Amino acid sequence: MDLKEKLVSSFLAFEDGMDLDHPVHEERSRAIKNFESKGFPSKKDEAWKYTSLKSLEKIDFSIFPKHETSLEYKDVKKYFLHEIDTYKIVFVDGVYSSYLSETTHDGVDVCLMSSAFSKPMFQQVIEVYFNKAASKDETLTSLNTAFSKEGAYIYIPKNKMPKKPIQILHLATGNEAALMLQPRNLIVAEDNAEVQIIERHQSLTGNEVFTNSVTEIFAGKDAIVDYYKVQNDASTASLVDNTYISQKDSSVVRVHTFSLGGKLIRNNLNFYQNGERIDSTLKGVTILGDKQHVDHHTLVHHAQPNCESHQDYKGIFGDSSTGVFNGKIIVDKIAQKTDAFQQNNNILLSDKSTINSKPQLEIFADDVKCSHGCTIGQLDDEALFYLRSRGIPKKEAKALMMYAFANNVLESVRIPELKVRINKIIADKLGVRMGFDL
């Protein structure tokens, strides 16, 4: 039995524990039919031309964890941003850990999707927002919707802001030989609300993990959302991250994605601008080695006039690693005065490393300012010679150049402690002690 067949047959067992009369279950039933019809994406699909899931489909993943595991905070502390006080929503092998978490209902709701699905007090929000931004057609999103049960539920009412940032942490213990996880996150920031969120997926052993995640983010009028994705996992961990963002008038949403480790990472990041004077920011840093693979697919759909979008992705690829960047900008005819910027710069450190970059612009308006750029190359020999002539060893000089190359993406990180943490991870990835305080 291949993975598709196992998932479809497992849905029957999943249904046994669900309320079949709940409106969400209708969404689940439609979603599993779509996945059953289409199956996993393949290289025959244009959007998956350079990324294959075939090797994952052959692995016998456990769909439901067989063991509940408790972890001590001291053993996983390093995966938290522990330098500051935060709310925490922590899952261990897909199961909520109350011991490691800190949630709240003090003016805002920072809790679980399972609670939101089951408790009447959350039903209005679920009916209005759940599965409204996510694709009904994309097959892996449908798979996640079919098995949607647990994840982070964050609701920020009008004119509110949580007292501190929120961390979402997914830990995989390795108690299963191979485990598939499907977290579903719903984040709603109503009008004039503000929130900062950090999300991380982390394996604790070398066992295979395949995470198929879906996050929906809704930003009301004048809302501000900062979302940080830290992807620095083990070489046996694969992640497909589907994020759908719907913005209303004058809202600001910024997503920073740090892809610094993992076997296979596919980021599908989709912005839908449903109002005027919207600002959308998409930034990313990728540093890979070995045979690691990262695929960034972005979409910004400008549907209304007087909006901006800014994309800036940097990639550093060593050994036999591979990267993909596909950035698509759509400007509807009505979306005059759009200002859309997209930039993708890459450095190849090895003859065996590769990057496939494809910027796409579909512009149907005439009064717009849209630009895109892409560079693929190696470190500048003249700049390297200059640094070495100043007494900096070759290895450290290369690291300094790579750090400077990626650093401008970090400048817009609005949580200082997170910026320091990412700086240190990048320095460690480069394998050199930087000559400055991290």
Side-chain angles (χ1 to χ4, degrees), residues 32-94:
I32 196 64
K33 289 177 182 177
N34 185 54
F35 174 74
E36 185 175 13
S37 171
K38 295 182 177 180
F40 284 96
S42 71
K43 287 192 170 185
K44 294 180 181 179
D45 303 306
E46 181 63 27
W48 290 81
K49 184 177 180 180
Y50 300 109
T51 300
S52 174
L53 301 179
K54 283 294 183 184
S55 62
L56 294 176
E57 293 179 55
K58 297 176 182 178
I59 298 174
D60 185 21
F61 287 103
S62 295
I63 308 303
F64 311 112
K66 299 180 181 66
H67 311 94
E68 286 197 20
T69 306
S70 60
L71 296 172
E72 292 297 324
Y73 177 71
K74 62 181 177 63
D75 296 327
V76 293
K77 178 181 177 181
K78 63 181 179 180
Y79 303 119
F80 290 86
L81 187 65
H82 53 79
E83 293 85 354
I84 58 173
D85 190 20
T86 62
Y87 295 115
K88 303 169 187 67
I89 311 174
V90 183
F91 303 94
V92 178
D93 293 338

Side-chain angles (χ1 to χ4, degrees), residues 130-200:
F130 177 77
N131 211 38
K132 297 302 187 292
S135 171
K136 309 296 190 298
D137 185 61
E138 202 281 320
T139 181
L140 290 178
T141 299
S142 291
L143 175 60
N144 178 282
T145 300
F147 286 91
S148 58
K149 177 183 178 182
E150 194 59 283
Y153 175 89
I154 299 170
Y155 179 77
I156 315 299
K158 292 180 180 180
N159 305 313
K160 295 288 186 179
M161 178 181 179
K163 296 177 181 177
K164 46 194 177 184
I166 301 166
Q167 293 191 70
I168 305 170
L169 184 57
H170 304 272
L171 299 170
T173 63
N175 283 344
E176 311 286 341
L179 179 64
M180 184 171 186
L181 300 170
Q182 302 207 69
R184 181 65 172 243
N185 303 320
L186 177 62
I187 293 101
V188 179
E190 295 283 15
D191 297 354
N192 202 39
E194 186 172 350
V195 65
Q196 295 178 321
I197 301 170
I198 306 158
E199 182 178 26
R200 181 166 185 167

Side-chain angles (χ1 to χ4, degrees), residues 71-130:
L71 296 172
E72 292 297 324
Y73 177 71
K74 62 181 177 63
D75 296 327
V76 293
K77 178 181 177 181
K78 63 181 179 180
Y79 303 119
F80 290 86
L81 187 65
H82 53 79
E83 293 85 354
I84 58 173
D85 190 20
T86 62
Y87 295 115
K88 303 169 187 67
I89 311 174
V90 183
F91 303 94
V92 178
D93 293 338
V95 179
Y96 173 65
S97 171
S98 58
Y99 175 69
L100 295 174
S101 298
E102 180 186 343
T103 60
T104 185
H105 296 289
D106 183 14
V108 301
D109 292 314
V110 179
C111 57
L112 309 178
M113 284 299 294
S114 56
S115 297
F117 284 142
S118 61
K119 295 182 179 180
M121 61 185 289
F122 300 118
Q123 285 312 296
Q124 184 176 354
V125 174
I126 293 295
E127 290 175 8
V128 171
Y129 293 108
F130 177 77

Side-chain angles (χ1 to χ4, degrees), residues 17-18 23 38 70 102 141 192 269 282 384 404 418 433:
M18 296 293 106
K38 295 182 177 180
S70 60
E102 180 186 343
T141 299
N192 202 39
L269 181 55
L282 305 75
L384 183 61
L418 178 62
R433 273 289 183 192

